[in-house]
Amino acid sequence: MERFEQLTAEDTVSLTYQLRKKPRGGLGVTVSGSSTGYSGLFITHVPKHSPCYGLLNVGDRLAMIDNFNVAREGLADTTALAVLKQRLFDDAKSVRIVVHRSPLLALEQKATSPTTTTTTTNNN
């Protein structure tokens, strides 16, 4: 736990995911940004039925989609959102997403979320 005591709100880790999706089907997550600014695109909801559940967290900031940098300086959120929609609803069966996550935010979410146990059964 000692290493977390030195973290600040500005510290982030970059996580890369190659996610499977239905062609023209998106990923089932909710993303938001500013309609007039450059604050970046953030994950605001990840439902349990989403292929991203357990991977993406609320508060993750989108950095890249495929090879397009949606977090670059001067790119309006509305433009980044248009690119995101184009890439998620194309004919491809997968998409590469890079997010920036604050370890502090992840720790706070874990501390405030109820403990759950998941059981998976396979009929073989």
Side-chain angles (χ1 to χ4, degrees):
M1 193 63 148
E2 180 179 309
R3 62 185 171 169
F4 294 118
E5 293 172 2
Q6 298 173 11
L7 292 174
T8 68
E10 291 78 33
D11 291 325
T12 60
V13 292
S14 292
L15 302 167
T16 303
Y17 299 103
Q18 186 73 33
L19 301 167
R20 297 178 80 194
K21 67 179 189 74
K22 293 181 181 177
R24 300 187 182 273
L27 294 172
V29 299
T30 305
V31 176
S32 67
S34 168
S35 62
T36 59
Y38 303 90
S39 63
L41 300 180
F42 293 87
I43 304 294
T44 55
H45 182 66
V46 183
K48 288 184 180 182
H49 69 273
S50 167
C52 301
Y53 185 76
L55 299 174
L56 299 180
N57 291 342
V58 170
D60 286 350
R61 182 177 184 183
L62 287 172
M64 295 191 79
I65 179 127
D66 290 329
N67 291 320
F68 189 86
N69 183 351
V70 294
R72 75 173 180 256
E73 185 84 23
L75 181 68
D77 290 352
T78 52
T79 303
L81 190 57
V83 170
L84 179 67
K85 285 181 180 179
Q86 176 188 11
R87 302 286 170 100
L88 291 182
F89 292 98
D90 64 9
D91 291 329
K93 294 181 182 177
S94 69
V95 64
R96 183 178 168 267
I97 290 182
V98 178
V99 296
H100 294 165
R101 179 176 299 159
S102 166
L104 288 180
L105 182 60
L107 286 173
E108 288 172 10
Q109 289 174 343
K110 196 171 203 173
T112 59
S113 65
T115 303
T116 59
T117 302
T118 304
T119 304
T120 305
T121 58
N122 293 325
N123 295 329
N124 291 332

